[in-house]
Amino acid sequence: MGEEMELVLDKYISAGRILSEVREGAIELVKEGGSLLAVAEFVENGIREKGGEPAFPCNISRNEEAAHATPSIDDKAVFGADLVKIDIGVHIDGYIGDSAVTVDLSGNNEGLVRASEAALNEAIKLIRDGISTVEIGEVIENTIREQGYKPVVNLSGHGLVRYNSHAPPSIPNVKYEHGVILKENDIVAIEPFATDGAGKVVESGNAEIYSLIKAKPVRVIEAKKLLEELKKYQGLPFARRWLPRERLDLALRTLKNTGALREYPVLREEEKGLVSQAEHTVIVKKDGCEVTTG
Ligand code: CO
């Protein structure tokens, strides 16, 4: 292996190690009456203290929400008897680890939690140089269906490349037609979602997460300042609550109007079914794979 490749893989591995430490700490904080904002801040500050950067805002999605929920500024929400998905991204120098876990605070959804975990484990067992993403999607779908649930068809695993938290290939959670062959040293995130609903997510509610997609010149001074501030994320998603508060609405609205921002509205299950998620990032190896976020 080239020296440069080795350095890059080391960064992926370090990002993954930081991620698993903060994830374990976060799980302890997810309990009834606990604050969602406190969990998000624990995760994001913990990542920075350990020498990484959040690759995206800590997602805390509950019950029928599958992804892209994150606390707002001064959010007062607390956990109830919820099914809680914590999805965390860490990067070092742009090299990302992405991992999620489901915490069942009601104690009634063990089977649903197990379905996405089992699907993730079965997928990880298959991954090696030469595997097709079609086979991965098939084992995920079959495992979830065997447990009596449905995979979410329009959420997928994905590749990871420097400063891109959702790079090709897409790795669907169902069997599909045209796959991609994974090769040694590819970095991919596998993230099965299982549900007792329709098996599909739809957009709902306002976005708290954005990314900068096109930096177009703006005249409004607040927007200009915000645009400069946002460049440091290098295209990775950020939370509204991370931004300077002064005249934030105006600045964000102006940037949105120029088409500079991508918004990430909350994704919820179409029939409001419960959703569980399990996710790890892996490095594809000749005869298997290395889980960086384990
Ligand atoms: Co992911």
Side-chain angles (χ1 to χ4, degrees):
M1 199 192 308
E3 204 179 317
E4 205 170 316
M5 174 60 90
E6 221 164 304
L7 285 173
V8 164
L9 294 184
D10 279 348
K11 288 178 183 171
Y12 277 112
I13 289 165
S14 302
R17 197 171 302 130
I18 291 172
L19 197 160
S20 51
E21 287 172 21
V22 297
R23 187 188 58 221
E24 297 320 300
I27 290 170
E28 301 293 313
L29 296 177
V30 176
K31 43 186 160 209
E32 279 198 62
S35 147
L36 276 70
L37 184 58
V39 171
E41 287 180 340
F42 169 87
V43 166
E44 293 160 4
N45 294 335
I47 292 168
R48 296 184 186 108
E49 278 158 25
K50 291 173 192 290
E53 287 292 332
F56 50 79
C58 177
N59 284 210
I60 306 177
S61 307
R62 289 173 292 170
N63 305 321
E64 73 271 17
E65 296 169 345
H68 299 172
T70 201
S72 58
I73 295 172
D74 299 327
D75 203 314
K76 298 284 183 284
V78 295
F79 295 107
D82 295 319
L83 188 64
V84 183
K85 280 77 61 184
I86 306 284
D87 195 339
I88 302 174
V90 176
H91 79 86
I92 292 179
D93 201 19
Y95 301 105
I96 298 167
D98 184 355
S99 171
V101 66
T102 300
V103 181
D104 173 24
L105 291 178
S106 75
N108 297 328
N109 300 302
E110 228 176 274
L112 183 56
V113 174
R114 210 179 315 119
S116 51
E117 282 174 359
L120 175 60
N121 291 336
E122 292 305 313
I124 287 172
K125 280 190 216 161
L126 281 184
I127 297 175
R128 54 172 167 73
D129 181 78
I131 187 87
S132 162
T133 54
V134 173
E135 287 176 72
I136 299 173
E138 186 175 16
V139 81
I140 289 173
E141 172 167 16
N142 290 344
T143 307
I144 291 173
R145 289 195 190 281
E146 276 160 22
Q147 317 252 344
Y149 298 97
K150 289 179 189 158
V152 174
V153 299
N154 55 342
L155 288 173
S156 306
H158 49 89
L160 290 162
V161 300
R162 197 176 185 201
Y163 288 113
N164 185 349
S165 55
H166 276 86
S170 166
I171 305 174
N173 292 319
V174 288
K175 185 173 161 53
Y176 66 116
E177 295 265 314
H178 301 285
V180 168
I181 303 295
L182 298 183
K183 53 184 198 326
E184 192 177 6
N185 295 329
D186 282 350
I187 318 290
V188 293
I190 307 297
E191 53 177 324
F193 289 83
T195 182
D196 59 5
K200 195 179 158 203
V201 289
V202 292
E203 292 185 347
S204 87
N206 290 335
E208 288 290 336
I209 302 176
Y210 306 87
S211 63
L212 180 62
I213 49 173
K214 237 182 267 157
K216 291 192 192 158
V218 278
R219 289 221 186 103
V220 179
I221 187 76
E222 288 81 359
K224 215 181 191 120
K225 273 204 253 170
L226 182 59
L227 187 58
E228 281 315 304
E229 161 93 17
L230 296 180
K231 286 180 182 167
K232 73 175 177 211
Y233 298 113
Q234 307 232 45
L236 290 172
F238 54 87
R240 196 175 185 285
R241 63 186 153 74
W242 292 358
L243 306 177
R245 295 191 186 190
E246 206 193 334
R247 314 207 60 189
L248 180 56
D249 283 336
L250 170 67
L252 270 179
R253 201 179 333 115
T254 309
L255 291 184
K256 270 190 233 171
N257 289 342
T258 68
L261 300 180
R262 176 179 168 196
E263 299 183 67
Y264 298 80
V266 173
L267 300 173
R268 68 151 176 88
E269 217 287 319
E270 190 178 43
E271 285 178 356
K272 300 205 171 172
L274 293 171
V275 178
S276 71
Q277 175 195 20
E279 179 178 25
H280 274 311
T281 298
V282 309
I283 304 172
V284 179
K285 299 288 182 190
K286 264 255 138 326
D287 300 305
C289 69
E290 177 176 353
V291 179
T292 66
T293 51

